[in-house]
Amino acid sequence: MKGRQALKIYFAYTTQYLKTLMTYRIDFIFGLIGFFLLQTCGVVFVTLIFDSIPQLEGWNFHQVLFIYGLAQIPRGLDHIFTDNLWIYAYWAISQGEMDRILLRPINPLFQVIMERFQLDGIGELLIGIVLLVYAAINLAIDFSVIQILLLILLVISGTLVITSIKLITCSIAFWKKRSGPFVQVAYEFNQFCYYPISIYNKGIQFFLTFIIPFAITSYYPATWLLGIEGPLNGVIMPLVVAFVFISLSYSVWKIGLNHYESAGN
């Protein structure tokens, strides 16, 4: 019964969102182009760096571009499917929106995520795919079927890691009422992982691997695909860290939900 209700809610949210999207399709198109151009500026920055230097701590232009593209794909997927968490972090929880969610006999987190899709994130997703393919061609990487399947798995786990970090910081709103700034600060660390984290000191590398582990969404899988690291660091460690953070974030969300006090003084 719950499965059927979940599907009904999912299709209801999707239908309503698509109707809204068609009503404001010009806004959607401009948003899509805007995000695409924003990420293009980052690529221009990388290009300017390598116009001045031949290598960045032993990494060549196309290797860095490969990492940059790989970082964009899970970020784009997270942007498309879980962007609604930002709204709950900034104001929805403080204004009692969870009351409406909790009245339904469906998992509250499922409802929050399914309420809204942000298709602007397609711009990030597209540029990530383009950069990854372009860099792979120039690096003459010949992917095997197993590598492609593992890459898809790593992209999914990387997306879940980004969502997990967002969910943990969003859940702070159950205690603080508003946690948007916490989400924003944590999310900004993602930009460090557009580049090889080996260019940073050991403390930052540890932080980006185990504390706010954005590095496992791009850098570590890239080192394995580029033949720099073996599957232990490039595949197994990212999947283990992803599992830990997915579990941790959902636990924090449930604890926060138990502390929810609705709107009021």
Side-chain angles (χ1 to χ4, degrees):
M1 181 62 69
K2 286 187 177 182
R4 291 181 180 178
Q5 290 175 322
L7 285 174
K8 287 181 180 179
I9 291 174
Y10 171 77
F11 286 119
Y13 283 148
T14 303
T15 301
Q16 183 59 42
Y17 182 79
L18 290 175
K19 287 180 179 177
T20 304
L21 184 63
M22 290 301 99
T23 303
Y24 300 100
R25 50 185 174 272
I26 299 300
D27 291 341
F28 160 68
I29 292 171
F30 277 105
L32 180 64
I33 294 173
F35 272 100
F36 188 87
L37 292 176
L38 180 63
Q39 299 308 320
T40 301
C41 290
V43 177
V44 171
F45 178 72
V46 173
T47 303
L48 291 174
I49 291 176
F50 281 93
D51 280 343
S52 303
I53 57 175
Q55 290 189 331
L56 182 64
E57 294 290 328
W59 296 83
N60 64 42
F61 172 69
H62 289 105
Q63 287 175 327
V64 173
L65 213 59
F66 188 88
I67 294 173
Y68 195 105
L70 189 55
Q72 289 297 326
I73 296 174
R75 178 169 172 142
L77 290 171
D78 168 77
H79 188 173
I80 293 168
F81 292 106
T82 68
D83 201 62
N84 204 40
L85 288 173
W86 286 87
I87 293 176
Y88 276 79
Y90 271 103
W91 61 266
I93 290 178
S94 66
Q95 294 188 7
E97 286 295 309
M98 288 302 301
D99 292 355
R100 171 177 54 82
I101 297 293
L102 293 173
L103 287 174
R104 300 177 180 139
I106 303 296
N107 185 290
L109 181 58
F110 174 82
Q111 294 183 65
V112 168
I113 290 175
M114 288 299 112
E115 270 188 337
R116 176 174 177 263
F117 299 122
Q118 184 56 278
L119 296 183
D120 292 352
I122 292 175
E124 291 174 297
L125 180 62
L126 287 177
I127 198 167
I129 294 172
V130 169
L131 290 176
L132 189 69
V133 172
Y134 172 78
I137 291 172
N138 281 274
L139 291 168
I141 300 176
D142 185 18
F143 292 121
S144 66
V145 174
I146 293 177
Q147 284 179 314
I148 292 172
L149 293 174
L150 285 175
L151 174 58
I152 294 171
L153 180 61
L154 288 166
V155 166
I156 293 171
S157 67
T159 303
L160 292 174
V161 164
I162 297 173
T163 301
S164 297
I165 294 169
K166 190 159 59 177
L167 183 61
I168 291 171
T169 48
C170 172
S171 299
I172 296 173
F174 288 121
W175 290 275
K176 303 289 291 183
K177 302 304 180 186
R178 295 176 184 266
S179 64
F182 294 97
V183 180
Q184 184 68 50
V185 169
Y187 211 68
E188 289 301 318
F189 281 104
N190 194 17
Q191 298 187 32
F192 282 88
C193 297
Y194 293 170
Y195 311 98
I197 67 165
S198 58
I199 67 175
Y200 309 125
N201 64 45
K202 296 296 184 182
I204 294 177
Q205 291 181 39
F206 180 85
F207 182 81
L208 293 173
T209 302
F210 299 109
I211 308 301
I212 300 184
F214 284 120
I216 74 162
T217 70
S218 57
Y219 172 74
Y220 288 105
T223 58
W224 169 64
L225 291 166
L226 293 170
I228 298 171
E229 293 280 356
L232 179 61
N233 286 339
V235 178
I236 297 174
M237 185 182 71
L239 293 177
V240 170
V241 173
F243 176 79
V244 169
F245 267 78
I246 293 164
S247 304
L248 175 64
S249 65
Y250 190 60
S251 296
V252 173
W253 166 266
K254 290 197 295 185
I255 293 170
L257 200 60
N258 290 333
H259 285 77
Y260 175 66
E261 298 176 341
S262 188
N265 295 328

